[in-house]
Amino acid sequence: MWLEGKARRGGRSGQPSGLDRERITAASVRLLDAEGLAKFSMRRLAAELNVTAMSLYWYVDTKDDLLELALDATYAELRLPDPENADEDWREQLRALASAYRAQLVRHPWLSPLAGRFLNIGPNSLAFSRVIQRVVRRAGLPAHGVTGAISAVFQFVYGFGTIEGHFLTRIADTGLSPDEYFEQAMSMVDEVPGTADVMRESKDLMAARGGDTVAEMLDRDFTFALDLLIAGLEAMVTRG
């Protein structure tokens, strides 16, 4: 999709009026948010835009091209800090980037499988990656440790956000709120002998974690885990 010099069909004479790649991409993101990746098709998108499916091929060669455009468009939603701003602590910048990425994954549950399928070399994705790299470099790690540090933080965020997004999607299908769903699930678990034993062993941990709502519990776990990772980076810098 992003290969330099690759011929694109958009721009040739005779292309459908009222369409452009930006509009098609935005509609794709909306449709993916509303219906998910499994139901996405060029025919369904064309119906949403009130055009023929063949009209879309003036702007992209394949459905994968369009999915890659939609994926990169979500990265444009992220507010990126200035890694050259010496007045801002790199730890807080890293926390902000991690939190924004988690929210992005939850907001667009279809994003995580696509992020694993494509190279993520669109302009918005590259801008995000570049800022992450520059922020982590400010921590003072040796050069050979920078990519490992990025992997530790953002693969954690990827996993956390993916599971959270799928969890909330499953809840939405039930018509219950997250808190109602959680309460119902915990009640059902108590009725399963083997599972109930496991849950009893972890009840003190859940109580210690605190949080009156599912959102609060998720936020506390995410924040603590992220703090552990940042503390690990600091420890590695100290060790030299």
Side-chain angles (χ1 to χ4, degrees):
M1 177 62 212
W2 308 107
L3 288 179
E4 206 170 60
K6 183 179 180 182
R8 310 305 308 168
R9 283 188 269 192
R12 293 194 320 193
S13 60
Q15 66 190 53
S17 61
L19 282 182
D20 56 45
R21 188 176 287 174
E22 290 71 26
R23 183 185 170 203
I24 293 170
T25 301
S28 299
V29 171
R30 290 195 301 272
L31 196 58
L32 286 161
D33 285 345
E35 300 183 359
L37 184 59
K39 294 182 179 179
F40 183 81
S41 70
M42 299 295 271
R43 188 179 299 275
R44 178 69 187 87
L45 176 62
E48 186 75 10
L49 290 165
N50 198 29
V51 298
T52 65
M54 287 306 297
S55 300
L56 301 176
Y57 290 104
W58 285 93
Y59 302 91
V60 292
D61 290 337
T62 66
K63 185 176 84 169
D64 274 359
D65 281 357
L66 192 48
L67 290 173
E68 200 165 355
L69 285 167
L71 170 64
D72 191 64
T74 67
Y75 285 92
E77 301 168 3
L78 302 178
R79 294 183 60 185
L80 304 180
D82 177 6
E84 309 306 322
N85 186 349
D87 293 331
E88 292 187 9
D89 190 286
W90 68 267
R91 300 163 189 81
E92 294 308 311
Q93 289 188 331
L94 189 57
R95 287 188 179 94
L97 287 164
S99 297
Y101 187 41
R102 171 199 171 192
Q104 179 194 18
L105 288 160
V106 173
R107 191 164 56 247
H108 307 294
W110 51 270
L111 185 154
S112 59
L114 294 186
R117 182 191 306 178
F118 297 117
L119 288 176
N120 294 270
I121 56 172
N124 297 308
S125 177
L126 285 179
F128 179 59
S129 297
R130 186 177 296 114
V131 168
I132 290 171
Q133 184 180 113
R134 290 177 177 174
V135 168
V136 173
R137 277 181 177 272
R138 289 180 57 198
L141 289 164
H144 69 264
V146 171
T147 56
I150 292 171
S151 295
V153 174
F154 286 92
Q155 288 186 24
F156 151 69
V157 178
Y158 176 86
F160 194 101
T162 295
I163 293 172
E164 183 179 1
H166 290 175
F167 174 64
L168 294 177
T169 298
R170 184 167 70 248
I171 291 171
D173 292 338
T174 69
L176 300 173
S177 71
D179 296 328
E180 291 168 339
Y181 184 91
F182 181 75
E183 184 177 346
Q184 186 180 94
M186 289 299 99
S187 298
M188 292 174 63
V189 163
D190 283 339
E191 298 173 8
V192 182
T195 308
D197 292 341
V198 174
M199 293 304 295
R200 272 194 295 272
E201 290 179 15
S202 61
K203 275 187 176 179
D204 61 325
L205 299 178
M206 295 182 68
R209 174 176 64 179
D212 297 325
T213 67
V214 169
E216 288 174 347
M217 287 187 282
L218 289 171
D219 284 345
R220 289 187 183 189
D221 284 349
F222 179 82
T223 299
F224 188 75
L226 184 58
D227 284 346
L228 285 177
L229 289 167
I230 291 175
L233 299 190
E234 293 175 318
M236 292 301 290
V237 170
T238 301
R239 285 174 57 180

